[in-house]
Amino acid sequence: MTLSDHRALKFFCLFALYFLQGWVAGFTGTALINHLAETGLSVGELGRFSFIIGIPWIIQFVWSPLVDRFPGLAMGKRRGWLICASLPANGLLLLLVVLPYAPLTLALVFLAHSLCSSVMDTAVDGMMIDNVKQDEAGLASALTNAGAVIGSCVSAIFFSWYLTQSSFQANALVLFVVSLAITAAAVSVRERKTDKWFSLGMSETAPVKRIPLSLFAKLLIGRLRKVQALSVLAFSFVVFFLFACVSLTFNAKLLNGGGWTAVELSRYQSILGVVSASLGALGVGKLCDRFGDRVVFAIGLLVSALAFGFMAVIPNFSALASLTFLTIAPGLLYVAFVPRVIAISRGAVAATAFTFCMTTMNFGSLAGAALSDRIFQAFSQATVLSLESLLFFVGSVAALAP
């Protein structure tokens, strides 16, 4: 069976490959971050740790054109890149088993791992755009988000507990074994019947083996200059910057004086994430395919505007309610947003155009986390939340503009 002739297998592979991303992200972005916070690292140090690990994701567009410019690999247009990047990615996770436990060392190893993962991510995104029809883009968005979030949540729940029970090296070994198993299962499925199981050469049947750099640059610039593409890029950065800015400081306050432990916070976020990424994401994806992603996305922005406004007016109403909103809203907005990104990305530059939007989104999240401490030091909590409410309201109106 191949992706091109088996619909269920296509969506299963997309889910599994995004689950793999979440599996590592849940360890680095939730369990390990909360563990480091509980041991005394400041918000600024945690923000820098996250930023170092995320650097490859904000410059992903530098190497993503390779995935589009060389579509004639014998192992498959996208699968070939998946295999080549997955080998060093898993090797780096295995390296953690023997390295000493130190924040800087961990940051550098996960920096290199993020580089490999970002290449895999570009290939997976290209695979999705190549094989998913626009009228099922909402479903694809829901399943990929579900894979990433569920993988992250399962990872966070397990490792937030296991980090308190065993050595870091033992945790790293589990991280590696699961990653290797998922990778092997996913890359064993070919995209087309003519793809070879393993080969470092070029395909003899591929219609295009290489796109000239000048033509590729012309196609990409032409695509990203369109007004629709520019608006998608703006939303990619601003929406997720605003959420990350509030979330990091809010979580740190819960851990330092709010009565929460790292294990409790990780467990609650993860359980809530699983529910929202399964039932919530599938519901949003179905609504997008039926009523249009722009309408659903605009409604999501409006709800967020009302929630931030409520948090600004009644700051001490319920920490649990605020945490719930900050945990589930970004993922559901992402599900409603991705079909629009898919729509503007189709064509010869599909993987690169999609990656460019995702890179902008990742940069927004990382920048929001890195600047969170300074923003809340410069402005009061009510001011920040009120401004966010206003920006989300403006965004909801802009999302429906022609």
Side-chain angles (χ1 to χ4, degrees):
M1 294 185 293
T2 63
L3 296 181
S4 60
D5 59 16
H6 201 286
R7 184 174 184 268
L9 186 62
K10 169 179 66 180
F11 284 115
F12 172 78
C13 285
L14 291 175
F15 176 87
L17 287 166
Y18 268 84
F19 182 96
L20 177 61
Q21 288 186 26
W23 174 250
V24 178
F27 178 78
T28 58
T30 302
L32 185 58
I33 282 288
N34 289 343
H35 181 71
L36 292 173
E38 198 171 42
T39 59
L41 264 68
S42 67
V43 172
E45 290 173 318
L46 294 174
R48 285 189 290 273
F49 182 86
S50 299
F51 188 81
I52 291 173
I53 295 174
I55 286 175
W57 296 101
I58 63 178
I59 58 173
Q60 187 177 359
F61 62 89
V62 174
W63 48 81
S64 61
L66 292 173
V67 178
D68 277 328
R69 288 193 60 223
F70 296 90
L73 300 180
M75 289 188 291
K77 181 179 179 181
R78 311 297 185 185
R79 177 173 169 268
W81 290 103
L82 275 174
I83 294 175
C84 292
S86 66
L87 294 175
N90 283 290
L92 286 163
L93 294 182
L94 183 60
L95 183 63
L96 289 171
V97 177
V98 298
L99 287 177
Y101 175 75
L104 180 58
T105 302
L106 299 182
L108 294 177
V109 173
F110 281 117
L111 168 65
H113 181 272
S114 293
L115 174 60
C116 300
S117 294
S118 66
V119 176
M120 295 175 63
D121 178 67
T122 301
V124 175
D125 292 338
M127 184 183 294
M128 176 175 62
I129 297 171
D130 292 345
N131 293 280
V132 170
K133 300 176 182 178
Q134 193 59 38
D135 60 0
E136 57 185 15
L139 176 61
S141 175
L143 288 175
T144 53
N145 178 73
V149 175
I150 293 174
S152 177
C153 292
V154 171
S155 175
I157 290 174
F158 173 77
F159 287 113
S160 63
W161 165 79
Y162 199 46
L163 279 168
T164 65
Q165 303 296 314
S166 188
S167 67
F168 175 82
Q169 285 70 25
N171 282 262
L173 181 60
V174 175
L175 187 70
F176 161 73
V177 170
V178 174
S179 175
L180 182 62
I182 297 174
T183 302
V187 301
S188 64
V189 181
R190 294 177 298 167
E191 296 174 78
R192 302 287 185 272
K193 293 180 179 179
T194 55
D195 295 343
K196 295 183 179 180
W197 289 107
F198 187 81
S199 172
L200 297 179
M202 304 296 289
S203 172
E204 297 178 357
T205 59
V208 177
K209 292 181 173 59
R210 182 179 68 87
I211 300 176
L213 180 59
S214 57
L215 174 60
F216 184 85
K218 183 177 180 180
L219 292 171
L220 181 62
I221 293 173
R223 177 68 55 84
L224 296 178
R225 285 177 59 188
K226 295 182 178 180
V227 174
Q228 188 180 27
L230 292 174
S231 66
V232 167
L233 290 175
F235 277 117
S236 297
F237 180 86
V238 175
V239 169
F240 297 95
F241 175 93
L242 295 175
F243 269 107
C245 175
V246 174
S247 295
L248 183 62
T249 295
F250 186 83
N251 292 348
K253 287 182 178 179
L254 291 179
L255 293 169
N256 297 290
W260 289 65
T261 67
V263 174
E264 290 172 339
L265 180 59
S266 298
R267 183 182 296 121
Y268 181 76
Q269 289 177 315
S270 300
I271 293 174
L272 194 62
V274 169
V275 175
S276 65
S278 52
L279 300 177
L282 289 173
V284 171
K286 186 175 181 179
L287 290 173
C288 287
D289 288 339
R290 183 172 182 179
F291 299 107
D293 55 273
R294 289 172 59 192
V295 174
V296 178
F297 184 61
I299 293 174
L301 294 176
L302 179 59
V303 172
S304 298
L306 296 174
F308 278 115
F310 192 82
M311 291 170 62
V313 174
I314 313 177
N316 298 318
F317 170 70
S318 172
L320 187 62
S322 299
L323 176 62
T324 301
F325 161 69
L326 292 172
T327 301
I328 67 174
L332 296 181
L333 282 172
Y334 173 88
V335 172
F337 186 62
V338 166
R340 186 55 35 190
V341 181
I342 292 176
I344 70 165
S345 301
R346 296 189 183 278
V349 297
T352 305
F354 190 94
T355 296
F356 204 90
C357 294
M358 294 298 105
T359 299
T360 305
M361 183 185 300
N362 290 326
F363 180 63
S365 295
L366 292 170
L371 297 175
S372 178
D373 192 35
R374 294 188 178 183
I375 290 174
F376 276 91
Q377 286 180 358
F379 303 98
S380 68
Q381 176 177 302
T383 300
V384 175
L385 295 175
S386 298
L387 182 58
E388 296 220 354
S389 177
L390 176 61
L391 290 173
F392 273 102
F393 178 78
V394 172
S396 69
V397 176
L400 293 175

